[in-house]
Amino acid sequence: MTHLSKHFTLDELTVTDHREFDNSPTQEEISNLQRLAQLLEQVKETLGGKPVMINSAFRSKQVNDAVGSSDKSQHRKGCAADLRVPGVTPDEVVRAVIAAGLPYDQIIREFDRWTHISIPNTEDAEPRGNALIIDKSGTRPFA
């Protein structure tokens, strides 16, 4: 088991329900996943050490296409994760991350079922700090 950080493994950040497709990241994508895992550690700490369950992180082109996501998705680069925290609503996760001042690129409450969080696509880029809501009404700023 390859650990990318204290609590997050490569397997955990590449798991997919679409097992018929290869979802193996390149070395560059693994480096991005290591940076992402560091942010996930900060999220875990911010939430008092509660479990951070990864629904989806890295997605190969085939997996990304199978879930109907954009080729521009940060999941394709290993820079984004969709997560759930048992006993904490996605709204509470977003508010806690914002309040803690964590260096996220985007944080999105998606369909009030999970939280998407990402890091910049390159190590030298500054995080944008975009906070959004995506649901059946569309996309709008998180307020």
Side-chain angles (χ1 to χ4, degrees):
M1 184 178 303
T2 303
H3 274 82
L4 299 173
S5 67
K6 183 176 179 183
H7 296 102
F8 297 95
T9 66
L10 182 60
D11 286 348
E12 189 175 15
L13 296 183
T14 57
V15 71
T16 179
D17 289 339
H18 296 277
R19 294 188 184 101
E20 68 273 24
F21 301 127
D22 181 18
N23 202 42
S24 303
T26 65
Q27 195 54 53
E28 179 182 347
E29 292 159 346
I30 291 171
S31 294
N32 288 340
L33 287 168
Q34 288 173 318
R35 291 189 302 117
L36 178 62
Q38 293 307 315
L39 178 60
L40 293 171
E41 291 290 350
Q42 293 177 58
V43 171
K44 183 175 179 67
E45 185 177 319
T46 296
L47 297 173
K50 288 183 168 58
V52 173
M53 315 295 288
I54 306 301
N55 297 345
S56 177
F58 173 74
R59 295 183 198 142
S60 68
K61 170 128 178 71
Q62 287 181 304
V63 170
N64 200 59
D65 289 350
V67 301
S69 189
S70 163
D71 272 341
K72 295 178 183 170
S73 169
Q74 289 180 290
H75 289 276
R76 289 279 295 113
K77 298 180 181 308
C79 293
D82 294 338
L83 59 92
R84 291 173 295 107
V85 180
V88 183
T89 68
D91 202 64
E92 291 168 332
V93 171
V94 172
R95 291 187 190 286
V97 168
I98 292 170
L102 299 187
Y104 61 88
D105 192 54
Q106 284 193 315
I107 190 161
I108 307 171
R109 187 188 82 200
E110 293 197 47
F111 302 97
D112 212 18
R113 292 179 49 218
W114 67 86
T115 306
H116 167 102
I117 192 164
S118 68
I119 56 171
N121 289 345
T122 59
E123 201 167 348
D124 59 347
E126 287 294 314
R128 294 177 290 172
N130 289 343
L132 303 168
I133 295 171
I134 295 177
D135 58 22
K136 63 184 177 189
S137 301
T139 302
R140 61 193 178 280
F142 184 90

